[in-house]
Amino acid sequence: MRQTPQQPPSPSETVGLPLWLLAELTYRCPLQCPYCSNPLDFALQGAELTTDEWLGVITEGRQLGAAQIGFSGGEPLVRTDLPELIGEARRLGYYTNLITSGIGLTEQKIADFQRAGLDHIQISFQSSDEQINNMLANSHKAFAQKLAMARAVKAHGYPMVLNFVIHRHNIDHIERIIELCIALDADFVELATCQFYGWAYLNRAGLLPTREQLARAERITNEYRARLAAEGHPCKLIFVMPDYYEERPKPCMSGWGSLFLTVTPDGTALPCHGARQLPITFPNVRDHDLRHIWYESFGFNRYRGRDWMPEPCRSCSEKDEDFGGCRCQAFMLTGNAANADPVCGKSPHHGVIVNARTEALGLPPAVQQLVFRNERNSRRVSGV
């Protein structure tokens, strides 16, 4: 039975508000991208939250201070209640985002979402090349559908926000990717080089670009930025480097349990979308309200602040800037989530990152050798 405190605790002076609520509505998805951030064992997770349960989460999140909500998945479009969820979020005062592959989107749905009050739609592409895009998505119709829906989103007055996950199999096409975005009149483009969690970590050897590839892609992106700025073009290009080529860790999620609250399809609440892999029992919204989860639960307090930090993080002058880096990455690469993020050059485990870079110098395997994200593979890699 769901537990609601009789007297909710007052907000802590040291814990901020969960300003961003990510509603992962489902793990169902028509595509099978080999770099999906969903957990490897997604096929084994529990039943999805009902419409009423999601409406409760949305309400509690707003009461707790969340100002922005993202509807994601899997593919959130497979939920038939999406317009209702968007409408309630808008009524409560959220800024609403839809993060979608575009597969399943139609002109009618765009109009329905607009009437419901949706503020923002982001569409993801796999590549600027139709064959590579469809091969990575494992769908022969994906590219044409994405193009049509990107144009439809723009036609309905939304800013066009595109996301390309960049990796070994498309990074050398960066000019064509940017040219496609310009041709589509994109307003914002995220060129997000793979961050190695979930299925991307499983496929790391086949996805991690070389340093030379990254340097070239970043140079070309900067050249386009300068050209677009000189022309007064509104398109903004955002280039995201992979952690593995940095010497200091990113301030992951602005700090553990600081700004972000993720609710997964079965109601598990997480401080980031990758935390489910950690050896921590995280609370579920079916058992506790979000106020208890955010302020009181062990999972959300485990890596808050500085007391958990080992050396060299504890005495590092940069600990208030990077918060010790990513706990999920530390766990994946060292087996202990409390270790210093191996991305950091000061970490005693930095060698695992150096070794991964060295592995990336070899020729990439064929796309067909990647493990694609689907239910059969989820059960197989989970040992079921």
Side-chain angles (χ1 to χ4, degrees):
M1 180 177 294
R2 200 170 192 274
Q3 300 171 12
T4 303
Q6 293 291 331
Q7 296 180 328
S10 300
S12 166
E13 293 180 0
T14 59
V15 178
L17 300 175
L19 297 178
W20 169 265
L21 174 62
L22 180 63
E24 291 186 328
L25 300 180
T26 181
Y27 285 141
R28 291 176 287 158
C29 184
L31 303 185
Q32 302 183 33
C33 304
Y35 48 74
C36 181
S37 63
N38 287 167
L40 295 176
D41 64 350
F42 74 86
L44 309 181
Q45 304 304 330
E48 293 177 5
L49 296 180
T50 65
T51 301
D52 286 343
E53 286 172 326
W54 272 119
L55 291 172
V57 168
I58 292 169
T59 299
E60 289 181 7
R62 189 76 184 102
Q63 291 171 345
L64 202 54
Q68 189 161 335
I69 186 168
F71 295 104
S72 75
E75 176 47 69
L77 292 172
V78 305
R79 292 279 305 216
T80 58
D81 56 359
L82 186 53
E84 182 178 355
L85 300 180
I86 291 170
E88 181 62 9
R90 181 58 181 267
R91 187 188 70 80
L92 291 169
Y94 282 99
Y95 183 88
T96 55
N97 301 264
L98 175 61
I99 304 162
T100 175
S101 68
I103 307 303
L105 194 59
T106 64
E107 293 262 8
Q108 183 61 56
K109 287 182 179 179
I110 295 172
D112 291 344
F113 297 154
Q114 200 160 39
R115 281 192 294 272
L118 183 65
D119 293 298
H120 175 113
I121 300 176
Q122 176 185 291
I123 294 181
S124 64
F125 278 77
Q126 281 69 33
S127 178
S128 59
D129 179 272
E130 183 169 12
Q131 182 178 5
I132 294 175
N133 187 101
N134 292 347
M135 187 178 295
L136 288 167
N138 206 14
S139 168
H140 68 281
K141 297 180 179 179
F143 187 71
Q145 169 71 5
K146 289 171 182 289
L147 286 180
M149 288 303 102
R151 294 185 178 110
V153 165
K154 185 81 172 184
H156 278 263
Y158 283 105
M160 185 182 293
V161 183
L162 303 180
N163 173 274
F164 284 78
V165 177
I166 305 298
H167 46 76
R168 300 192 78 150
H169 299 283
N170 64 9
I171 192 168
D172 293 329
H173 302 155
I174 195 74
E175 297 104 324
R176 279 177 270 172
I177 288 173
I178 296 173
E179 287 290 346
L180 173 64
C181 295
I182 294 172
L184 289 171
D185 291 326
D187 296 284
F188 297 93
V189 179
E190 186 177 41
L191 303 167
T193 53
C194 255
Q195 305 298 317
F196 293 95
Y197 303 91
W199 293 81
Y201 181 72
L202 181 68
N203 288 302
R204 185 181 68 183
L207 294 173
L208 183 63
T210 64
R211 187 184 294 276
E212 290 71 25
Q213 285 179 306
L214 282 164
R216 176 181 176 273
E218 188 173 29
R219 173 181 58 77
I220 291 170
T221 302
N222 286 334
E223 290 171 357
Y224 270 95
R225 282 174 176 156
R227 192 187 100 190
L228 292 169
E231 295 172 356
H233 197 288
C235 182
K236 300 290 186 273
L237 303 176
I238 303 167
F239 189 85
V240 182
M241 285 289 286
D243 288 355
Y244 280 40
Y245 286 99
E246 302 286 359
E247 290 298 318
R248 290 291 180 271
K250 65 179 181 293
C252 190
M253 311 306 288
S254 298
W256 181 275
S258 176
L259 294 175
F260 295 86
L261 194 162
T262 296
V263 178
T264 67
D266 70 355
T268 301
L270 304 171
C272 76
H273 63 269
R276 193 165 197 156
Q277 67 186 300
L278 301 181
I280 296 173
T281 300
F282 287 100
N284 193 290
V285 299
R286 286 173 166 144
D287 303 317
H288 303 280
D289 67 23
L290 285 188
R291 177 172 286 273
H292 168 86
I293 287 169
W294 183 254
Y295 290 111
E296 302 298 324
S297 70
F298 173 81
F300 275 76
N301 283 297
R302 177 63 181 89
Y303 296 110
R304 275 176 172 152
R306 306 180 189 86
D307 291 346
W308 63 270
M309 289 184 178
E311 293 294 350
C313 300
R314 184 180 290 268
S315 57
C316 180
S317 62
E318 300 173 50
K319 64 178 179 290
D320 291 327
E321 298 174 16
D322 59 35
F323 311 108
C326 177
R327 298 303 91 221
C328 299
Q329 198 153 248
F331 177 72
M332 286 188 299
L333 297 175
T334 75
N336 184 347
N339 283 334
D341 188 335
V343 163
C344 184
K346 300 179 182 181
S347 170
H349 306 283
H350 188 60
V352 298
I353 293 292
V354 175
N355 291 339
R357 296 174 190 166
T358 302
E359 291 173 5
L361 294 175
L363 292 174
V367 172
Q368 292 85 347
Q369 292 179 295
L370 299 172
V371 180
F372 286 82
R373 178 244 194 241
N374 56 48
E375 186 168 336
R376 178 176 58 82
N377 283 335
S378 175
R379 294 182 181 279
R380 181 175 63 82
V381 299
S382 302
V384 177

